């Protein structure tokens, strides 16, 4: 019996020895195909050892599938994940969740503001700052390029 794409993609997700880029691509394919029955598989990846896989899974659950129940995980990941890449992905997921759903604006902005104020990695703080501007001032595109106006202590 031939296997469905969902079964094959789920098998790639579960293979922790597989290349992280392949696993992340499988997450994106699952999200893009709308294979909602694999949500549990994606949720398990939020604790994956690979930052690329964690971040991609969070982006899929929040940004593509708009699952608000993962907002607390995104807030925590945006501040506490050991990987700057995963923290940036969490900020991106928060931003796109709000822009796609127009829900939980205050909660998303508070989470992003904490990242800007507390993260010691400039690229993470800068990403969160841009996310705030995209949400709070979407018509002010010129400000998105002027990150030098912010003091990055």
């Amino acid at each position: 019996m031939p296997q469905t794409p969902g079964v094959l993609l789920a098998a790639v997700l579960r293979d922790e020895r597989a290349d992280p880029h392949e696993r992340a691509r499988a997450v994106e394919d699952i999200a893009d195909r709308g294979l909602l029955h694999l949500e549990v598989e994606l949720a398990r990846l939020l604790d994956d050892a690979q930052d690329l896989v964690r971040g991609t899974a969070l982006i899929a659950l929040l940004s593509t599938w708009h699952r608000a129940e993962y907002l607390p995980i995104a807030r925590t990941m945006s501040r506490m994940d050991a990987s700057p890449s995963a923290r940036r992905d969490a900020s991106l997921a928060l931003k796109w969740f709000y822009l796609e759903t127009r829900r939980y604006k205050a909660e998303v902005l508070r989470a992003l503001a904490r990242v800007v104020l507390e993260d010691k990695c400039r690229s993470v703080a800068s990403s969160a700052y841009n996310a705030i501007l995209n949400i709070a001032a979407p018509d002010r595109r010129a400000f998105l390029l002027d990150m030098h106006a912010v003091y990055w202590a």
Side-chain angles (χ1 to χ4, degrees):
M1 181 171 173
Q3 294 184 333
T4 65
V7 171
L8 296 172
L9 291 169
V12 173
L13 292 182
R14 291 184 200 114
D15 184 1
E16 294 180 4
R17 297 169 309 189
D19 180 272
H21 294 91
E22 289 179 20
R23 294 177 71 215
R25 182 66 191 145
V27 169
E28 291 170 348
D29 285 348
I30 287 168
D32 290 346
R33 291 171 186 249
L35 302 176
L36 301 176
H37 63 282
L38 294 175
E39 179 179 350
V40 173
E41 296 287 338
L42 296 189
R44 283 188 192 124
L45 297 177
L46 297 174
D47 292 321
D48 196 82
Q50 297 294 326
D51 57 356
L52 176 63
V53 176
R54 284 193 308 277
T56 306
L58 185 61
I59 288 169
L61 290 165
L62 277 178
S63 305
T64 305
W65 289 351
H66 311 133
R67 297 290 201 248
E69 59 268 29
Y70 298 102
L71 283 171
I73 294 169
R75 283 195 321 264
T76 301
M77 186 184 289
S78 71
R79 290 184 8 257
M80 301 175 132
D81 198 282
S83 166
S85 176
R87 295 194 310 272
R88 275 191 308 274
D89 285 346
S91 291
L92 182 66
L94 287 164
K95 174 185 91 169
W96 281 110
F97 173 82
Y98 172 74
L99 291 176
E100 294 284 327
T101 66
R102 301 293 183 199
R103 297 183 340 208
Y104 302 101
K105 182 177 185 178
E107 182 177 340
V108 168
L109 286 173
R110 273 193 305 272
L112 293 169
R114 278 188 83 173
V115 173
V116 170
L117 293 172
E118 297 174 1
D119 205 295
K120 302 299 183 211
C121 179
R122 182 175 177 166
S123 67
V124 175
S126 175
S127 177
Y129 176 74
N130 275 320
I132 290 170
L133 288 175
N134 273 253
I135 293 169
D139 296 330
R140 299 185 142 199
R141 298 286 180 209
F143 288 109
L144 296 178
L145 301 176
D146 188 18
M147 294 177 295
H148 300 292
V150 176
Y151 175 65
W152 301 102

